[in-house]
Amino acid sequence: MGKLEDCIQWAVKNGSIVDERIHFKQSSISGISAVVEGILATEEPLIQIPSKLLITNEKAQESFQVDSDVIDKNAPNALVQLYVAKLKFAKGMPSIYQPYIDLLPLKLEQPYFWDWKELQVIKGTDLYLVMKQRLPKLLEEWTTLLKKLSLEPSDDLGQLETPGLDLVDYVARYRETNEQLPWNSFAAYVWSAGIFASRAFPKIALNDQCLSINEAFLYPIVDFLNHKNDTKVKWCFQDGKMCFVSKESLKSGEELFNNYGDKSNEELLLNYGFVQDNNQYDDARLTLRLDSQLLDGAEQLGIPLSQERVTDNSVQFKLNKKELLPHNLVKLFALVHKLKSEDGINLRNSLEGIDSLQSILMQKVEFFRQKTRIDASASRKLQILRKYFDQQRRLFQLSIENGQKLQKELIKSNSEFLISFKTIFKNDKQFANSLLLTFGVAKFEDLITKDCMNQILLLWIVRVANKNEYAKKLPFEIPQFIYDTFQEVSSTIVIEKEDVLQMMGFYQAMFPAMSEKIPEIYGQGNWRIRQFIVADTVMDRLVWTRKLTQEPFFVKKQRIAF
Ligand SMILES: C[S@@+](CC[C@H](N)C(=O)[O-])C[C@H]1O[C@@H](n2cnc3c(N)ncnc32)[C@H](O)[C@@H]1O
């Protein structure tokens, strides 16, 4: 008889009830799973396990002969994890749980248990960073607990606590060099923590006298069930037994699943070592390092960041299918692009912010695209990892598409506050024709390909400033805000020598030649260099160039609400 059958028999002999229609099987590739003979959705428990077979803190306390004071509320599973490490690795430690403990896999699927070589693939990713951040916490809770229990670790603590030591590497190498892990080694504790991460149940399902919401226990047999998103299940304690109820209707031969919760692929990968295709609970993290003063000031401008702030100068946003582009993220990017002359988040800086956010998201897409190019043919773990990277790429791609949609909507719903230079170019035929001679520009697209957009915008802004000077009224409506902004800048600007020097090259290339060649435009009104320096500032304040099309828009200073 195999170990799996042994274990089921052990459970039944000890008072468990396992519905006869459930069959457990084991394969070397996918581990243990359960299939059914056909079950209709029911409130009747399919599996019932008596208290005595559950591995809890109380059992650990009994074994170590300590009371609950030894358990730190911030590490509520440390004692029971140490106990499970002892059950698995200590020599001569037979226990009632033996058939179950024997079945707990030594080699877990989570990246913490990958070979040192496999780990190299995730170095440099957020995933590795999270792993690296978690291990010191495990080390701390383990060493504290050993001290409280007056137990000696088998590791050299001096080495383990070396500042800067990469604990992920340390544990991987320790496992590779010690075939039999001592139960009091850090690697054994990390294994046990991995067991808890991938198969423990919340203690609150058993009783409400929990030390913390995170306290957990091992629930033999039910923990042989794999996970599927949205499976309807119930865990409850009745008549001295922990009961598993599935509310799914299953056909013969179908797998009986449990539900580990609505988890992102990163959580699934780090805690369980697999990912779900098209996981609707997936998310992607975007960590941004920004000026701390800007972050401090964000709140006053209606961007509360208490959830997202991770350090003084960095924030972290989660993008998921429900919220592909959090409003606060969009607003924060608007703030990054707010000019001194602007007093808050408005249409222009929002549009520009979305553009720069898109650039960052595109880098993310490219990063994950590169990552999916790993050769995963030889390794199941790498295939899972590639799937994870691909789903990350997709989420960022969806975010980009969402940003484009948002930008389009903003342009459409605020059409009265902005005007595209393409429209201006079409309307102001006299001006457009004048460019042929000097710039060789015949159509709007040439402005982009010939890289002369800025110079032409400057000319047009000065034309607007001169609109009342032309003998003939211009035959199209010029948005008043462009003219008004010019007047405002002109009356307040302080012109430095550098500004003149900077503008000189362009100005001398154009004037006085243009005034002579095309006097009907450039020979009326004021075309002196000062006008162009003012126009340059007007351009900074009003013009937003849409990244996707390189098309400039004049945007009125307009507050917007998302
Ligand atoms: C609670 S155990 C389930 C029983 C497990 N198959 C075993 O062999 O013991 C959790 C582990 O099962 C595997 N698992 C669970 N659900 C899975 C799924 N949907 N796809 C792939 N692996 C899964 C993962 O290795 C995970 O760490």
Side-chain angles (χ1 to χ4, degrees), residues 229-230 263 276-282 320-322:
N229 274 355
D230 304 324
K263 301 206 170 352
Q276 292 261 278
D277 289 325
N278 300 318
N279 183 357
Q280 59 167 315
Y281 306 108
D282 201 10
N320 54 47
K321 283 193 181 152
K322 271 200 196 131

Side-chain angles (χ1 to χ4, degrees), residues 297-356:
E299 181 106 37
Q300 285 153 9
L301 289 165
I303 316 168
L305 294 173
S306 54
Q307 302 275 331
E308 290 83 7
R309 193 91 179 248
V310 280
T311 66
D312 215 28
N313 64 353
S314 67
V315 274
Q316 191 174 80
F317 288 88
K318 281 203 167 158
L319 317 180
N320 54 47
K321 283 193 181 152
K322 271 200 196 131
E323 205 180 15
L324 283 163
L325 221 45
H327 282 170
N328 274 353
L329 176 61
V330 178
K331 285 186 185 172
L332 184 62
F333 268 78
L335 181 61
V336 169
H337 290 273
K338 182 182 94 58
L339 300 171
K340 279 204 185 108
S341 58
E342 294 170 330
D343 55 7
I345 287 165
N346 62 25
L347 183 57
R348 192 206 61 78
N349 52 40
S350 297
L351 290 167
E352 198 166 323
I354 294 171
D355 267 344
S356 91

Side-chain angles (χ1 to χ4, degrees), residues 4 25-27 29-34 100 103-105 107-110 194-195 197-201 219 221-229 255 257-258 260 268-269 271-276 380 384 387:
L4 178 58
K25 54 180 192 159
Q26 188 168 24
S27 92
I29 296 176
S30 49
I32 304 174
S33 59
Y100 168 71
L103 265 185
L104 292 179
K107 193 116 179 72
L108 301 182
E109 297 294 321
Q110 298 102 302
I195 286 289
S198 62
R199 54 204 313 144
F201 285 68
Y219 186 4
I221 314 298
V222 174
D223 70 351
F224 294 159
L225 302 177
N226 287 326
H227 163 82
K228 190 166 130 203
N229 274 355
E255 182 166 353
F257 285 107
N258 190 0
Y260 302 173
L268 285 175
L269 185 56
N271 293 315
Y272 302 88
F274 71 94
V275 296
Q276 292 261 278
R380 210 168 73 92
I384 291 170
K387 215 188 265 181

Side-chain angles (χ1 to χ4, degrees), residues 21 68 107 142 272 290 353 386 426-427 492 528:
R21 291 164 296 178
S68 62
K107 193 116 179 72
W142 175 71
Y272 302 88
L290 292 164
R386 189 165 65 183
K426 219 165 68 194
N427 289 341
T492 51
R528 284 193 287 274

Side-chain angles (χ1 to χ4, degrees), residues 28-47:
S28 56
I29 296 176
S30 49
I32 304 174
S33 59
V35 287
V36 294
E37 270 173 29
I39 290 179
L40 291 177
T42 170
E43 283 287 339
E44 289 304 309
L46 293 175
I47 304 174

